[in-house]
Amino acid sequence: MATSSAASVDMEDIQTVDLMSELLRRMKCASKPDKRLVFIGPPGSGKGTQSPVIKDEFCLCHLSTGDMLRAAVAAKTPLGVKAKEAMDKGELVSDDLVVGIMDEAMNRPKCQKGFILDGFPRTVTQAEKLDEMLNRRGAQIDKVLNFAIDDSVLEERITGRWIHPSSGRSYHTKFAPPKVPGVDDLTGEPLIQRKDDNADVLRSRLDAFHKQTQPVCFLIVHELEDYQRI
Ligand code: AMP
């Protein structure tokens, strides 16, 4: 009898309702076209809020360089150790580090139907490297969403933000409070506040956005004959 590496999962242990919903999800996903999306915008503009919703709707994977870097920092991996100082100050981590993790992440099985790039590319060099990664895969970006928003509203959004780390769901003490303070609505797990979500670090993050990331927006807008604009 054939065996596989998944043989350790006993199907009897999986609830029928879970099996059915996974089956329905896969049937829905089979009819979805592949999509490769880039979300660009300053911190607090809504990229991370929209990503889980759009990801589920189109069966994509959500690739957030910020999430990957925070996980590396929490696990104290060599990457995390190198990235921590820049992240704490609200500065950008070096292009080489983020390009490496993104190139690897795109190979994940979950990204088979495409991806949402959230927070990447953030510099012109990263945008050029992204083109190389896509060329190697014979792929291209289908749509770019520019989350344009005025700086003046971002401080209140960022300082009141609470996040459920494992799902990426985000809440806000004033604009989108959870049903129970400090707790995720769906799982009941604790919410966290990001260390860099404070007014001081936000200033550096916005500075980095305007100086290093906005030129990427202009570059993409000039290339929009190739991209389809939403
Ligand atoms: P985010 O969660 O997207 O706000 O990112 C949090 C922090 O991670 C940023 O302030 C940067 O220090 C770092 N970071 C995330 N994405 C990138 C990127 N593409 N390039 C360089 N640094 C990044």
Side-chain angles (χ1 to χ4, degrees):
M1 197 172 132
T3 55
S4 77
S5 58
S8 57
V9 177
D10 189 344
M11 298 296 276
E12 291 297 324
D13 292 342
I14 303 176
Q15 298 275 322
T16 307
V17 65
D18 294 336
L19 274 177
M20 292 304 290
S21 56
E22 177 58 15
L23 187 65
L24 288 173
R25 190 192 69 78
R26 288 193 187 195
M27 282 165 62
K28 183 192 88 170
C29 289
S31 65
K32 299 277 179 180
D34 292 6
K35 260 188 208 309
R36 294 179 187 83
L37 310 176
V38 172
F39 288 5
I40 289 200
S45 58
K47 307 184 298 296
T49 303
Q50 298 306 325
S51 291
V53 180
I54 295 172
K55 172 195 88 160
D56 287 346
E57 178 57 33
F58 293 102
C59 308
L60 309 174
C61 67
H62 172 207
L63 299 179
S64 154
T65 36
D67 286 348
M68 293 180 221
L69 290 167
R70 274 185 292 282
V73 170
K76 297 193 169 71
T77 65
L79 165 71
V81 172
K82 286 186 203 142
K84 186 176 184 314
E85 195 184 329
M87 291 176 76
D88 284 348
K89 288 197 277 191
E91 293 170 4
L92 293 189
V93 171
S94 82
D95 288 332
D96 282 353
L97 290 183
V98 285
V99 166
I101 52 171
M102 191 48 96
D103 204 8
E104 234 179 87
M106 275 185 193
N107 294 333
R108 291 178 191 170
K110 275 190 173 175
C111 302
Q112 240 172 13
K113 293 208 71 82
F115 49 68
I116 299 170
L117 301 188
D118 164 3
F120 182 93
R122 244 162 154 125
T123 65
V124 171
T125 303
Q126 290 177 23
E128 289 164 355
K129 295 284 179 192
L130 173 60
D131 275 344
E132 288 174 22
M133 286 180 219
L134 293 170
N135 285 341
R136 262 190 277 123
R137 291 168 167 88
Q140 62 173 34
I141 296 298
D142 298 301
K143 293 178 201 290
V144 176
L145 272 75
N146 183 14
F147 286 64
I149 183 166
D150 209 86
D151 279 5
S152 58
V153 292
L154 294 176
E155 182 173 329
E156 192 180 15
R157 281 189 175 204
I158 284 287
T159 53
R161 177 160 79 170
W162 286 80
I163 289 166
H164 177 237
S166 59
S167 69
R169 276 185 288 280
S170 60
Y171 298 86
H172 190 279
T173 42
K174 180 167 157 193
F175 305 126
K179 289 180 191 136
V180 178
V183 168
D184 178 51
D185 287 352
L186 297 190
T187 63
E189 289 166 352
L191 303 177
I192 57 134
Q193 234 183 344
R194 277 171 48 176
K195 203 176 161 195
D196 59 350
D197 274 353
N198 62 69
D200 266 356
V201 180
L202 176 63
R203 269 186 287 281
S204 313
R205 291 163 72 195
L206 283 177
D207 195 48
F209 176 76
H210 291 301
K211 289 195 178 128
Q212 292 163 278
T213 308
Q214 242 165 4
V216 180
C217 303
F218 297 134
L219 195 82
I220 287 172
V221 167
H222 283 297
E223 288 183 4
L224 273 177
E225 293 90 12
D226 297 332
Y227 297 134
Q228 192 186 341
R229 198 173 186 176
I230 288 188

